[in-house]
Amino acid sequence: MSQTLFEKIIAREIPAEILYEDDRVLAFRDIQPQAPEHVLIIPKKPIPRVGDASREDQALLGHLLLTAGEVARELGLQDGFRLVMNHGKNGGETVPHLHCHLLGGRPLKWPPG
Ligand code: 5GP
């Protein structure tokens, strides 16, 4: 199977502004930010999307969310932020590698479009 764009970022084949990395996850700034702070947190394991994850990914997904919270704290988003995972065409997914958007730095409207 061909590598996804995000696997190429993990492999440093495509540059990105990386904010956090460990053996299981990577956090980097979105190339087209939709808020003053827009970070993507991804697992290094190439799970296509959240609905494709399995029970064996439970600890990994927990770690991903905890990392998102830590990155938000590091960015000083104490006034609030939003985490979003887009699944599939109707969800607005464009990159088939599970990712959690962290958006903050401005008031965010609800419901999203
Ligand atoms: P999705 O639409 O799949 O939920 O989110 C994919 C995100 O990846 C989009 O917000 C898009 O701006 C971001 N993105 C696409 N290509 C690149 C890239 O080459 N580098 C970075 N840092 N982000 C990207």
Side-chain angles (χ1 to χ4, degrees):
M1 243 171 59
S2 64
Q3 275 199 326
T4 65
L5 177 66
F6 290 170
E7 283 177 278
K8 290 178 184 165
I9 288 178
I10 293 166
R12 306 298 202 272
E13 289 166 19
I14 293 177
E17 194 182 335
I18 293 169
L19 302 184
Y20 177 83
E21 177 171 30
D22 63 25
D23 57 329
R24 289 182 286 168
V25 299
L26 185 73
F28 54 95
R29 290 194 186 280
D30 196 292
I31 205 167
Q32 236 185 311
Q34 302 300 316
E37 298 290 3
H38 188 173
V39 177
L40 301 172
I41 304 97
I42 68 170
K44 291 189 171 177
K45 179 179 175 182
I47 303 165
R49 54 196 64 79
V50 67
D52 294 332
S54 62
R55 288 281 167 198
E56 73 183 29
D57 299 316
Q58 186 166 322
L60 175 59
L61 293 185
H63 179 59
L64 187 107
L65 284 181
L66 291 171
T67 300
E70 284 164 13
V71 171
R73 266 196 298 282
E74 284 292 313
L75 292 174
L77 299 177
Q78 63 279 349
D79 287 343
F81 58 88
R82 184 172 293 163
L83 301 179
V84 176
M85 288 187 188
N86 296 327
H87 177 119
K89 184 161 65 80
N90 282 358
E93 172 202 313
T94 58
V95 179
H97 183 125
L98 192 153
H99 48 283
C100 178
H101 295 259
L102 164 61
L103 296 147
R106 67 169 170 84
L108 298 163
K109 291 195 171 65
W110 191 262

